């Protein structure tokens, strides 16, 4: 299959336009070998046609622009299933750009963002879910996100969706055959068999939908809001998690006037942290705006790190805020323990237990010394990443488009089940069955419009 009926040859820099040890330029299409022959002088004297498949060849770009290595990959054994040439040159921006310009002048055109991967999809090497996994691998923020994206790249979403679609199609085909040839194929008693199968399929689809919440956290990170009264040590906590002085810290209450956003990665966990202004009643216009933004960020957060000053304990203002946050995942943090005593065991923790409201966990720490910070990280891991998230067998949905299509497919399957229970004829049931089949097919790209594919691949980088 050729993209848009066009077999032109494309080229792009794959390694980014920055100074580096090496740069990689990729050429893909019917004229890739011809173009390479025009611009590459092999030290061995071989033409590209004479070079072995997957061989790396040493030589120079025309006019001795640079000393390079050239990799040959003949169709269909390449990323795009087309003839592909990759040139490794020195990583200077000027020389890399010059080589690309020579390639373009000799018959290639500049690739559009994501066009190499789009060709891999259009030529049947990968399905759409695998193509989307490519960009997830590139953008992975943690080890777990990268691992899950690689599993999708290998086809775990594709394989699971294909199995579900096959089950739906098998029952649909039987109904259609029975309607076409009622003398030889009977539908007597088939409704019970169909209902059991559709209920089983419904469970599978709902399991995938349920995994999407974990999937979003794996892929995008946990949106985490640090909240509390002024001077509780919120900015100090951010600095302790980042292990650097990122936020301004003073003894003056209200130092933080606006939200500050940072990303922290520890192990499999990615936190998108928002340090907020201390929440209090104020007449200061700027501080008041900061307080309103803090409340908005708290509403949208996956996790609240609520900080109190352990010297003061939980104040009445804290209790009021904690009550408002009772439906959020929340860790109550008693900060500044270094200022209270040399030994944390002197705390009468029972007084805190009476007041900690709906906190999911409670941590005593010092942002200054780092004591308790590791316990906080472990509490976050326990709260969000347990059980099936680490299973190699489970499919975790990380793509919002996939989730939306699964929800639509689930609704169609539920319509089938309701139709069976209400005694609807089989020919009506197949309408919803085929709707579910189509929605699931859109995940893997078997029933997707060209404009949607264009939009998906437009988010890729130029050389991918």
């Amino acid at each position: 299959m050729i993209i848009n009926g066009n077999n032109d040859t494309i080229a792009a820099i794959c390694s980014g336009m920055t100074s580096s040890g090496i740069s990689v330029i990729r050429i893909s299409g019917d004229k890739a070998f011809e173009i390479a022959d025009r611009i590459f002088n092999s030290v061995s004297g071989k033409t590209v046609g004479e070079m072995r498949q997957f061989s790396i060849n040493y030589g120079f770009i025309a006019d001795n622009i640079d000393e390079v290595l050239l990799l040959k990959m003949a169709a269909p054994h390449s990323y795009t299933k087309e003839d592909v040439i990759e040139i490794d040159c020195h990583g200077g921006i000027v020389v890399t750009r010059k080589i690309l310009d020579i390639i373009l002048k000799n018959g290639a055109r500049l690739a559009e963002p994501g066009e190499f991967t789009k060709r891999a999809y259009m030529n049947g090497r990968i399905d759409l879910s695998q193509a989307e996994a490519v960009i997830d691998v590139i953008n992975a923020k943690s080890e777990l996100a990268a691992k899950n994206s690689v599993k999708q790249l290998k086809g775990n979403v594709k394989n699971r969706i294909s199995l579900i679609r096959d089950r739906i199609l098998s029952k649909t085909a039987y109904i259609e055959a029975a309607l076409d040839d009622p003398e030889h194929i009977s539908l007597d008693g088939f409704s019970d068999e169909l209902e059991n199968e559709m209920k089983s399929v419904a469970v599978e689809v709902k399991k995938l939908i349920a995994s999407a919440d974990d999937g979003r956290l794996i892929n995008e990170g946990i949106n985490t809001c640090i909240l509390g009264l002024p001077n509780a040590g919120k900015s100090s906590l951010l600095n302790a998690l980042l292990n650097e002085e990122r936020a301004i810290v003073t003894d003056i209450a209200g130092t933080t006037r606006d939200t500050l956003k940072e990303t922290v990665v520890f192990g499999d966990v990615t936190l998108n942290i928002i340090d907020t202004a201390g929440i209090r009643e104020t007449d200061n216009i700027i501080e008041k705006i900061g307080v309103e933004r803090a409340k908005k960020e708290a509403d949208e957060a996956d996790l609240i790190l609520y900080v109190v000053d352990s010297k003061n304990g939980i104040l009445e203002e804290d209790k009021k805020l904690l009550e408002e946050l009772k439906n959020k995942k929340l860790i109550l943090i008693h900060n500044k323990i270094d200022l209270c005593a040399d030994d944390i065991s002197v705390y009468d923790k029972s007084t805190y237990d009476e007041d900690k409201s709906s906190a999911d966990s409670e941590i005593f720490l010092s942002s200054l010394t780092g004591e308790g910070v590791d316990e906080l990280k472990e509490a976050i891991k326990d709260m969000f990443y347990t059980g099936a998230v680490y299973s190699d067998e489970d499919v975790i949905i990380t793509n919002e488009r996939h989730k939306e299509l699964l929800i639509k497919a689930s609704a169609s399957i539920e319509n089938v089940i309701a139709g069976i229970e209400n005694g609807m004829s089989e020919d009506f049931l197949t309408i919803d069955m085929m709707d579910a089949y189509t929605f699931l097919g859109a995940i893997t790209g078997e029933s997707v419009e060209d404009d949607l594919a264009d939009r998906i691949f437009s988010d890729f980088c130029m050389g991918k």
Side-chain angles (χ1 to χ4, degrees):
M1 182 185 299
I2 302 298
I3 301 174
N4 299 324
N6 196 336
N7 63 348
D8 57 348
T9 299
I10 58 174
I13 299 167
C14 300
S15 50
M17 287 299 292
T18 57
S19 295
S20 58
I22 62 169
S23 290
V24 179
I25 303 168
R26 179 182 290 158
I27 313 169
S28 180
D30 288 351
K31 296 182 179 179
F33 294 171
E34 178 185 334
I35 293 170
D37 261 332
R38 291 176 188 165
I39 69 168
F40 177 67
N41 299 317
S42 172
V43 170
S44 69
K46 291 181 180 179
T47 66
V48 173
E50 294 170 335
M51 295 172 185
R52 289 182 291 108
Q53 170 77 313
F54 302 126
S55 63
I56 297 176
N57 303 271
Y58 170 65
F60 294 83
I61 296 298
D63 298 327
N64 291 323
I65 287 176
D66 195 18
E67 178 186 33
V68 303
L69 295 175
L70 181 145
L71 170 61
K72 171 186 175 179
M73 292 172 279
H77 305 294
S78 71
Y79 183 67
T80 60
K81 294 192 76 172
E82 301 172 334
D83 288 341
V84 169
I85 291 290
E86 288 190 359
I87 296 172
D88 291 0
C89 63
H90 290 100
I93 296 173
V94 173
V95 70
T96 304
R97 187 75 224 186
K98 274 190 174 183
I99 295 173
L100 177 61
D101 287 343
I102 288 175
I103 292 170
L104 298 180
K105 287 176 182 177
N106 277 274
R109 69 165 173 82
L110 186 64
E112 298 175 358
E115 190 167 358
F116 292 103
T117 305
K118 184 178 181 181
R119 289 191 175 203
Y121 159 62
M122 298 294 288
N123 292 332
R125 182 182 174 274
I126 56 177
D127 80 332
L128 194 56
S129 68
Q130 290 171 297
E132 290 169 304
V134 171
I135 198 67
D136 289 340
V137 171
I138 294 171
N139 294 332
K141 296 180 179 179
S142 69
E143 295 175 14
L144 184 58
K147 179 181 178 182
N148 193 67
S149 297
V150 170
K151 284 164 59 180
Q152 292 187 14
L153 186 57
K154 290 181 177 180
N156 74 339
V157 170
K158 170 189 174 181
N159 295 338
R160 183 65 60 86
I161 294 299
S162 294
L163 287 173
I164 296 172
R165 293 183 85 220
D166 286 346
R167 294 172 68 181
I168 296 172
L169 187 61
S170 174
K171 297 305 178 186
T172 305
Y174 185 87
I175 293 172
E176 295 291 350
L179 293 174
D180 288 341
D181 190 8
E183 293 183 5
H184 298 93
I185 303 175
S186 174
L187 288 173
D188 292 342
F190 181 72
S191 61
D192 290 339
E193 179 184 337
L194 179 62
E195 183 176 12
N196 290 335
E197 182 72 345
M198 289 301 100
K199 284 183 177 179
S200 176
V201 167
V203 170
E204 284 288 311
V205 173
K206 287 177 181 176
K207 183 179 178 181
L208 292 175
I209 295 170
S211 76
D213 287 339
D214 281 339
R216 181 182 66 80
L217 298 178
I218 291 171
N219 229 30
E220 300 176 9
I222 303 167
N223 294 327
T224 305
C225 184
I226 302 178
L227 215 61
L229 300 179
N231 216 25
K234 299 183 296 300
S235 296
S236 296
L237 176 62
L238 173 63
N239 289 339
L241 289 169
L242 290 171
N243 200 28
E244 63 175 281
E245 295 297 319
R246 180 64 181 85
I248 298 173
V249 177
T250 74
D251 293 330
I252 303 171
T255 299
T256 303
R257 298 296 182 92
D258 200 356
T259 56
L260 180 63
K261 300 183 180 182
E262 292 289 340
T263 298
V264 177
V265 179
F266 48 94
D268 291 332
V269 178
T270 301
L271 298 184
N272 303 315
I273 300 183
I274 302 166
D275 180 26
T276 64
I279 298 179
R280 66 174 177 179
E281 295 295 328
T282 177
D283 293 327
N284 185 291
I285 297 298
I286 296 175
E287 189 176 357
K288 186 177 292 186
I289 293 172
V291 170
E292 291 303 314
R293 287 184 178 177
K295 291 180 178 178
K296 182 177 183 296
E297 296 290 356
D299 287 339
E300 297 174 355
D302 301 310
L303 171 66
I304 303 294
L305 301 181
Y306 192 92
V307 185
V308 298
D309 186 337
S310 54
K311 299 194 309 298
N312 303 325
I314 299 177
L315 304 176
E316 288 302 317
E317 296 95 319
D318 291 309
K319 294 178 183 179
K320 180 180 177 181
L321 289 169
L322 288 168
E323 178 62 24
E324 293 176 3
L325 297 166
K326 63 183 179 181
N327 294 322
K328 304 289 294 186
K329 285 186 178 293
L330 186 145
I331 297 178
L332 181 58
I333 297 172
H334 301 274
N335 198 5
K336 303 183 183 182
I337 60 172
D338 54 293
L339 299 181
C340 298
D342 292 332
D343 186 352
I344 194 170
S345 63
V346 302
Y347 287 95
D348 180 6
K349 293 186 182 180
S350 63
T351 60
Y352 293 116
D353 291 338
E354 293 172 0
D355 293 328
K356 71 176 182 180
S357 184
S358 58
D360 296 278
S361 185
E362 184 176 22
I363 302 293
F364 290 77
L365 61 75
S366 167
S367 296
L368 181 63
T369 67
E371 181 181 357
V373 173
D374 287 341
E375 286 82 355
L376 172 60
K377 292 178 179 179
E378 288 302 317
I380 295 172
K381 288 181 183 178
D382 291 342
M383 185 178 294
F384 286 93
Y385 296 138
T386 57
V389 169
Y390 293 99
S391 171
D392 286 336
E393 289 75 27
D394 279 352
V395 175
I396 308 297
I397 299 299
T398 58
N399 187 296
E400 186 64 27
R401 187 182 72 87
H402 298 176
K403 179 183 177 182
E404 291 174 0
L405 289 166
L406 285 165
I407 291 172
K408 291 178 180 179
S410 178
S412 295
I413 294 166
E414 291 299 330
N415 287 341
V416 175
I417 295 170
I420 295 170
E421 293 173 347
N422 292 327
M424 292 180 64
S425 63
E426 284 80 0
D427 55 338
F428 281 106
L429 298 177
T430 59
I431 297 173
D432 284 311
M433 292 170 71
M434 289 309 298
D435 281 346
Y437 182 82
T438 301
F439 289 135
L440 293 171
I443 293 174
T444 57
E446 294 186 37
S447 55
V448 65
E449 299 295 330
D450 288 343
D451 58 345
L452 174 59
D454 290 341
R455 180 169 59 81
I456 290 170
F457 289 106
S458 69
D459 291 333
F460 282 56
C461 56
M462 185 71 73
K464 200 62 182 176

